[in-house]
Amino acid sequence: MAYRNSAGGGQRSAKSKYYAVRVGRKVGIFATWKECQAQVSGFSGAIYKSFGSSGEAANFVAGGGDAGSHVTAAAAAAAAAATASTAYGGMGIVQRTLSSAYNNSGAARKPKRLLASSVKSVNTAAIAATAATCKSDRRHNRVHERARLRAAKPSALRSIPSSTNASPSLSQTEGGKTVVPVAAVVVEQVHQAMREKMEEGKEKEEEKGEESNDAFWELYFDGGSRGNPGVAGAGATVYRNNSEVWAGRYYCGANHTNNFAEYKGLEIGLEAAARLGARHLVVNGDSKLVIEQMRGTWQVRSPNLVDLHDRARAAAARLVSVEYKHVYRKFNKRADQLANEAMDARRGWNDE
């Protein structure tokens, strides 16, 4: 588009238009509709108009012109405050509305101070409103959580029937009823559960004993050492009603005595018998030393056998009764065979 100067200055051809934007992305006078449209299109509350002369356009931007488009600063601030009180997201609208107040005020600089103060007051109001809402929500959540916990927990004191085995020292009297603190109730419940568990275990043991009371259980054990000390192995076999139900081999190592191996054979045999359900057991062995020491008639003098002796007695304690018998080697051939198999193979294993 061609421009020309006139005596009045700033005048264009008679057909030319000036696009004045009072409220928009950028306030000012634009030569083309495209430039004006870029400032007002999609901008909420935009105020703009076209004029035939630059003077009229400048007067419109400064606040003159159409009275219907005039917006006072007070009205703009009130509208901004109402918008911003709902959420922080309204701050953009506040600034645009206050911008309108600035452009309509007719003053060039004072409205800037009005804008800053209005934004500050609106911002403070919005923050206060939001903080009050958050505080109310937190208070509601705390009340709700306390109510939930009270509903989930038992009362501080619970009525206890007179037949309850609660400790008298923990009981109290309230309203003619015997009450016990919750801690005592919990302790009593734990003790009751333990008693029930013990009774259940006793019943199982009794059932197991009834099945094995009529059975005749025997154990034969033996041990050997090639070199004494040297390669050592142990063997044991368990019989129920004269039928072998378990056979075990144990490799002691390459530098142990015959007595060490004998005790290991006895230990693994006692453990197997208890595991199989024997209650009354007859133990047979060809080691006079081990048999007499287990009977308690001989003392355990060797430091190397003290621990083995204690372990064998602990295994025997799992049975109701144990009878120890000394037998000749010719009656202990099966256990001797198992001990030699352990020494030959240099390992231990069981047959069940």
Side-chain angles (χ1 to χ4, degrees):
M1 178 180 294
Y3 292 85
R4 64 181 178 82
N5 295 327
S6 64
Q11 297 290 329
R12 296 187 297 176
S13 64
K15 296 182 180 181
S16 299
K17 286 187 178 183
Y18 296 88
Y19 298 92
V21 177
R22 181 185 293 175
V23 178
R25 294 184 179 85
K26 185 176 181 181
V27 177
I29 302 172
F30 301 90
T32 66
W33 165 243
K34 185 176 181 180
E35 294 175 347
C36 177
Q37 188 180 27
Q39 309 306 320
V40 300
S41 179
F43 188 91
S44 177
I47 301 176
Y48 58 95
K49 192 174 182 180
S50 63
F51 296 92
S53 66
S54 60
E56 294 174 332
N59 183 50
F60 178 81
V61 171
D66 188 2
S69 63
H70 181 71
V71 181
T72 65
T83 303
S85 64
T86 58
Y88 285 106
M91 290 310 299
I93 298 176
V94 172
Q95 293 173 351
R96 290 197 292 271
T97 309
L98 291 175
S99 176
S100 174
Y102 160 68
N103 286 312
N104 288 321
S105 64
R109 294 184 180 179
K110 290 183 179 180
K112 290 184 179 180
R113 292 192 294 272
L114 172 64
L115 173 65
S117 61
S118 300
V119 170
K120 181 177 180 181
S121 62
V122 170
N123 191 21
T124 303
I127 292 173
T130 305
T133 302
C134 294
K135 184 177 180 180
S136 176
D137 290 343
R138 288 195 299 270
R139 186 183 300 109
H140 173 75
N141 291 338
R142 287 196 299 270
V143 172
H144 178 73
E145 181 65 13
R146 285 196 295 268
R148 186 188 69 79
L149 292 175
R150 282 196 299 270
K153 290 181 179 180
S155 59
L157 293 176
R158 185 176 298 176
S159 296
I160 304 298
S162 58
S163 60
T164 304
N165 295 325
S167 174
S169 61
L170 296 176
S171 62
Q172 303 173 7
T173 302
E174 183 177 294
K177 295 182 179 180
T178 301
V179 294
V180 178
V182 173
V185 174
V186 174
V187 171
E188 178 60 26
Q189 291 174 347
V190 172
H191 289 172
Q192 181 63 27
M194 293 174 63
R195 286 193 293 268
E196 291 176 357
K197 192 70 175 176
M198 292 174 63
E199 291 296 331
E200 182 181 351
K202 289 180 180 179
E203 290 177 1
K204 290 183 179 180
E205 288 293 331
E206 289 175 359
E207 292 176 359
K208 194 175 183 181
E210 289 175 0
E211 295 178 357
S212 59
N213 274 342
D214 297 334
F216 177 64
W217 293 86
E218 281 189 294
L219 164 64
Y220 285 81
F221 72 93
D222 196 12
S225 174
R226 296 172 182 174
N228 198 27
V231 175
T237 180
V238 177
Y239 293 88
R240 184 176 186 272
N241 293 334
N242 298 319
S243 296
E244 183 180 291
V245 293
W246 180 88
R249 306 157 189 83
Y250 184 89
Y251 178 62
C252 301
N255 189 32
H256 287 288
T257 64
N258 184 74
N259 290 334
F260 181 96
E262 291 278 1
Y263 262 112
K264 291 305 295 185
L266 173 62
E267 180 186 345
I268 65 172
L270 288 170
E271 290 177 348
R275 187 171 63 251
L276 292 171
R279 294 171 62 81
H280 304 279
L281 181 67
V282 176
V283 177
N284 303 280
D286 58 29
S287 172
K288 184 72 171 176
L289 175 74
V290 173
I291 294 296
E292 294 299 336
Q293 287 180 344
M294 291 301 296
R295 286 175 177 171
T297 55
W298 290 7
Q299 294 182 358
V300 182
R301 299 181 182 277
S302 173
N304 297 329
L305 300 181
V306 172
D307 182 62
L308 292 168
H309 178 76
D310 292 340
R311 290 169 64 91
R313 289 182 63 85
R318 297 173 58 186
L319 303 167
V320 175
S321 66
V322 180
E323 180 183 355
Y324 296 97
K325 289 185 177 182
H326 178 256
V327 297
Y328 293 108
R329 297 190 63 181
K330 64 180 181 180
F331 299 115
N332 201 26
K333 291 182 179 180
R334 175 59 174 155
D336 180 71
Q337 173 193 350
L338 297 171
N340 279 283
E341 289 177 0
M343 287 184 281
D344 292 339
R346 300 293 198 275
R347 66 183 182 89
W349 71 96
N350 301 326
D351 296 335
E352 296 189 36

